[in-house]
């Protein structure tokens, strides 16, 4: 067992964990943060994307011990990073407005990656959005409304969904 | 999905990491960004008893100017390498290769040294490192040695790094003002190339009368290690920057290669792809 202490969605947490525990398991199984989901076995799908010290990572491909001392933001704590504790983050709002989801399984990862993308590039082109989300797979929507949601969140598209 | 159990240490100096490697021997495995190692552990293709994490060693991170070379710390994440001004100015081939390596999340965690140490023949950084004549600085209990790119890549997933050694940094001789292009051919997004060509060239002369003064070309996934396309390099030097001249030289791209056959394509297909991608990469690198 290894002792880890980190901040998750604004709360300080400290636990003894097995070194082999993946960050995504720690979030879901220890902290009950089931908003972050697991969609694959190969680190391809991006459904498990969270922010680790401010940048997006696939939490199925990070050990919990590697996050010792770090600050983690999950989809559940995203809204509080912009002040509203119970409201939605503007990117969450844009996905709702543009119907950027069907089953919703890829959505937590899509939103976390979109927020990272917009942080580095506040006015991305459609091509830049598609490239920026290339590590996130959606089985349902064909990406059309996802791309539109990101354009909308960046103030570049009318809502037409 | 879940790795076999292991013990974990996260030293804060290279000396402590080397001491841990010496102590645990072949039961230990280094973790850098974990973007290649963790999938391997999760599929239980490997089950080391100790994991030694280099992630807390600050001295292994960053890019610095060292006179006639730039030096990239082994633990510098892809995203930092890809946006570093020194890399862009003096080794733009590396910046181009990093741009389309994996996806954003993987580029945030994966490291320059980790990708090179992993030595996947389909990995995107080997061919640029080889083409640029990089030097690999490797630390062991007996001190530090430097290995030339030509001697670094030994075989599939095998490099000159010994079991008790750590890659600490990579020196890349400056090629300031050279044009560079990385042509990567993929079947699906965010994946390893079926074939890729890393080309960097120095062109002399005025518009309309430009010739290749120097050319260095690396091939990805055309054998068990990255390869230099030396026949193409030699054929280009002194030639005019024209479509015809580049096409003739690029036809030699598959000479001396030994590409794999797999579900993405057989060896003949890869040989053909190498010539096409080399032509595109060289023309683009020359600004034509
Ligand atoms: C979804 C996905 C897509 C990807 N797509 C691509 C792609 O398109 N192109 C590409 O090139 N790569 C791709 N990768 C791999 C990625 O580039 C990895 O970051 C890289 O191969 C390994 O770097 P790392 O820092 O994560 O190393 P790790 O995974 O931590 O280590 C890799 C290996 O190198 C050894 N090692 C690491 N650092 C050192 C060191 N300093 N000294 C000695 N040994 C060391 C480790 O022991 C291990 O065996 C992809 C990965 C994923 C998950
Ligand atoms: S669950 Fe992490 S990438 Fe698919
Ligand atoms: S909405 Fe169903 S996987 Fe994307």
């Amino acid at each position: 067992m290894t002792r880890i202490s980190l901040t998750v969605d604004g709360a300080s947490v400290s636990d003894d964990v097995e070194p082999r525990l993946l960050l995504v398991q720690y979030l879901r199984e220890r902290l009950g943060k089931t908003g972050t989901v697991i969609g694959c076995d190969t680190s391809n799908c991006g459904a498990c994307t969270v922010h680790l010290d401010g940048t997006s990572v696939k939490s199925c491909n990070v050990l919990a011990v590697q996050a010792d001392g770090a600050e983690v933001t999950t989809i559940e704590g995203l809204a509080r990073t912009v002040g509203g504790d119970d409201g939605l983050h503007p990117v969450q709002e844009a996905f709702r407005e543009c119907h950027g989801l069907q089953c919703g399984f890829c959505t937590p990862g899509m939103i976390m990656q979109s927020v990272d993308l917009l942080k580095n590039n506040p006015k991305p082109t459609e091509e830049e959005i598609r490239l920026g989300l290339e590590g996130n797979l959606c089985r349902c929507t064909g990406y059309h409304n996802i791309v539109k949601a990101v354009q909308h969140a960046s103030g570049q598209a009318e809502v037409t969904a | 999905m879940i790795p076999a159990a292991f013990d974990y240490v996260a030293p804060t100096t290279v000396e402590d990491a080397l001491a841990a490697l010496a102590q645990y021997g072949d039961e230990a495995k280094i973790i850098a960004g974990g973007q290649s190692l963790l999938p391997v552990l999760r599929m239980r293709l490997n089950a080391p008893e100790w994991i030694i994490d280099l992630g807390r060693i600050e001295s292994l991170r960053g890019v610095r100017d060292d006179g006639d070379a730039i030096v990239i710390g082994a633990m510098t994440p892809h995203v930092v390498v890809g946006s570093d001004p020194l890399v862009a100015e003096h080794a733009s081939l590396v910046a181009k290769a990093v741009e389309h390596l994996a996806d954003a999340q993987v580029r945030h965690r994966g490291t320059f040294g980790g990708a090179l140490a992993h030595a996947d023949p389909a990995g995107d950084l080997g061919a640029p490192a080889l083409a640029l004549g990089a030097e690999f600085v490797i630390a062991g209990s007996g001190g530090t040695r430097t290995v030339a790119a030509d001697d670094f890549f030994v075989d599939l997933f095998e490099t000159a790094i010994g079991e008790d050694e750590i890659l600490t940094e990579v020196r890349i001789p400056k090629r300031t003002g050279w044009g560079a292009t990385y042509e990567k051919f993929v079947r699906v997004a965010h994946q390893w190339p079926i074939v890729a060509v890393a080309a960097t060239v120095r062109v002399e002369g005025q518009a309309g009368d430009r010739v290749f003064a120097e050319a260095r070309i690396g091939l990805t996934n055309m054998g068990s290690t990255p390869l230099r396309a030396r026949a193409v390099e030699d054929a280009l030097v002194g030639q005019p920057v024209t479509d015809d001249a580049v096409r003739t030289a690029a036809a030699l791209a598959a000479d001396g290669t030994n590409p794999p056959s797999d579900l993405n394509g057989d060896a003949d297909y890869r040989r053909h792809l190498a010539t096409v991608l080399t032509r595109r990469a060289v023309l683009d690198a020359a600004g034509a």
Side-chain angles (χ1 to χ4, degrees):
Chain A
M1 290 287 176
T2 301
R3 187 85 185 157
I4 58 169
S5 302
L6 59 160
T7 308
V8 179
D9 293 338
S12 299
V13 291
S14 205
D15 270 300
D16 288 321
V17 298
E18 265 193 287
R20 64 169 163 169
L21 188 74
L22 304 171
L23 179 59
V24 70
Q25 295 174 285
Y26 178 67
L27 295 171
R28 290 175 55 85
E29 294 165 20
R30 286 289 185 89
L31 304 183
K33 299 233 168 228
T34 49
T36 301
V37 294
I38 301 173
C40 74
D41 249 354
T42 51
S43 294
N44 276 296
C45 78
C48 64
T49 301
V50 301
H51 296 171
L52 182 63
D53 285 334
T55 52
S56 58
V57 301
K58 293 177 170 177
S59 62
C60 70
N61 218 16
V62 177
L63 297 169
V65 287
Q66 291 178 295
D68 183 25
E71 191 171 329
V72 176
T73 302
T74 75
I75 189 72
E76 298 187 23
L78 186 62
R80 68 167 284 290
T81 63
V82 291
D85 256 336
D86 15 78
L88 294 180
H89 184 281
V91 176
Q92 289 175 307
E93 190 65 57
F95 269 70
R96 190 173 73 173
E97 289 284 319
C98 298
H99 202 79
L101 57 139
Q102 285 185 34
C103 80
F105 199 82
C106 70
T107 313
M110 285 287 179
I111 289 176
M112 296 310 283
Q113 182 51 28
S114 298
V115 171
D116 187 272
L117 166 68
L118 292 171
K119 185 188 69 186
N120 298 313
N121 183 358
K123 297 273 179 222
T125 62
E126 179 184 338
E127 170 81 5
E128 287 168 344
I129 295 169
R130 289 184 185 272
L131 272 177
L133 296 179
E134 72 180 324
N136 293 72
L137 306 180
C138 175
R139 299 299 298 269
C140 301
T141 71
Y143 303 98
H144 187 81
N145 283 359
I146 293 173
V147 173
K148 212 152 65 181
V150 180
Q151 287 173 314
H152 181 54
S154 67
Q156 300 186 98
E158 295 300 314
V159 181
T160 51
Chain B
M1 178 76 200
I2 298 171
F6 53 77
D7 286 313
Y8 173 84
V9 279
T12 53
T13 64
V14 173
E15 293 67 40
D16 288 352
L18 287 171
L21 265 183
Q23 185 177 350
Y24 307 124
D26 57 10
E27 287 166 2
K29 196 85 186 135
I30 285 170
I31 191 166
Q35 299 304 290
S36 292
L37 183 64
L38 287 175
V40 166
L41 299 189
R42 281 156 42 206
M43 284 182 272
R44 306 239 176 159
L45 298 173
N46 198 340
E49 290 183 16
W50 282 88
I51 291 285
I52 302 170
D53 186 356
L54 304 184
R56 312 269 165 191
I57 308 180
E58 277 308 316
S59 65
L60 293 179
R61 258 180 242 277
V63 183
R64 65 172 205 274
D65 195 317
D66 192 26
D68 55 2
I70 61 167
V71 180
I72 304 179
M75 288 298 292
T76 313
H78 300 314
V79 64
V80 173
V81 173
S83 60
D84 185 89
L86 286 172
V87 175
E89 188 178 352
H90 304 296
S92 57
L93 183 57
V94 169
K96 295 278 172 70
V98 165
E99 196 180 326
H100 294 293
L101 183 156
D103 54 50
Q105 293 98 315
V106 172
R107 289 195 295 272
H108 288 153
R109 292 289 299 166
T111 66
F112 194 69
L116 289 165
H118 190 55
D120 184 334
D124 286 306
L125 297 181
L130 189 65
L132 290 169
E135 293 176 335
F136 294 79
V137 182
I138 299 171
S141 46
T144 294
R145 64 195 180 102
T146 300
V147 175
D150 285 334
D151 303 319
F152 181 76
F153 300 101
V154 176
D155 205 345
L156 287 173
F157 301 104
E158 195 185 329
T159 69
I161 307 171
E163 276 194 345
D164 54 351
E165 293 182 315
I166 291 173
L167 174 65
T168 57
E169 56 192 28
V170 181
R171 293 173 55 86
I172 303 182
K174 285 183 183 170
R175 290 206 162 70
T176 318
W178 288 48
T181 296
Y182 190 69
E183 276 287 336
K184 173 170 174 172
F185 195 84
V186 287
R187 189 172 55 81
V188 292
H190 85 98
Q191 286 294 338
W192 292 263
I194 297 172
V195 174
V197 175
T200 190
V201 299
R202 189 168 65 77
V203 170
E204 285 174 350
Q206 305 301 316
D209 187 26
R210 300 161 73 230
V211 295
F212 289 101
E214 291 177 86
R216 303 179 70 102
I217 297 163
L219 306 173
T220 307
N221 219 8
M222 287 296 290
S224 57
T225 64
L227 298 171
R228 280 278 285 280
R230 290 188 195 268
V232 182
E233 296 176 358
D234 293 344
L236 278 173
V237 173
Q239 292 298 311
V241 180
T242 61
D243 207 49
D244 277 351
V246 173
R247 185 182 296 272
T248 305
L252 305 171
D255 281 19
T257 63
N258 187 16
S261 288
D262 58 29
L263 288 175
N264 284 317
D266 59 22
D268 277 343
Y269 172 74
R270 282 193 162 87
R271 282 191 199 95
H272 174 69
L273 210 46
T275 64
V276 173
L277 298 175
T278 299
R279 175 169 53 80
R280 289 184 194 161
V282 170
L283 281 170
D284 192 64

